[in-house]
Amino acid sequence: MKILTGNDLKTGAVIWWTGVGWSLDVNNAADVGEHGAAVIAREEGAQNVFAAYVIDGEKTPEGVRPAHIKDRIRALGPTVRPDLTLKPSDPEAVNWVI
């Protein structure tokens, strides 16, 4: 699956394309297939996102998982302070990155 990620213009937060808008949760990411470039052009033109790009991902029983470790870290949050991740109460969250 192909998914889109970028940064929110106002907050700088990592966001994921849902098919109709943007979400902070990678599990809401939608498969854009071959339409990623068109969505990026439209959304960056409307100033809804900054530095968006298409990545590979896969749908797992736990949700959407970016294929590359860099994007898994972006999806979860800081790795040096597990209490600051997007899943601070999940002790297995850090294992999801690797």
Side-chain angles (χ1 to χ4, degrees):
M1 88 186 281
K2 299 285 187 185
I3 57 180
L4 298 181
T5 186
N7 295 89
D8 184 278
L9 274 171
K10 293 179 183 172
T11 66
V14 175
I15 52 179
W16 307 88
W17 178 248
T18 67
V20 295
W22 295 92
S23 172
L24 294 171
D25 188 349
V26 68
N27 290 314
N28 295 330
D31 186 354
V32 296
E34 300 302 316
H35 305 288
V39 173
I40 289 170
R42 184 184 69 235
E43 291 296 307
E44 285 187 341
Q47 297 185 341
N48 293 326
V49 64
F50 174 73
Y53 57 99
V54 179
I55 64 169
D56 291 319
E58 65 179 317
K59 189 77 167 172
T60 70
E62 293 80 31
V64 177
R65 186 172 194 251
H68 194 277
I69 191 168
K70 171 192 160 225
D71 297 303
R72 290 195 298 269
I73 292 169
R74 285 174 43 96
L76 183 63
T79 58
V80 294
R81 291 269 316 268
D83 59 312
L84 297 178
T85 68
L86 295 177
K87 300 178 183 182
S89 62
D90 183 356
E92 295 299 315
V94 176
N95 294 332
W96 178 83
V97 172
I98 306 296

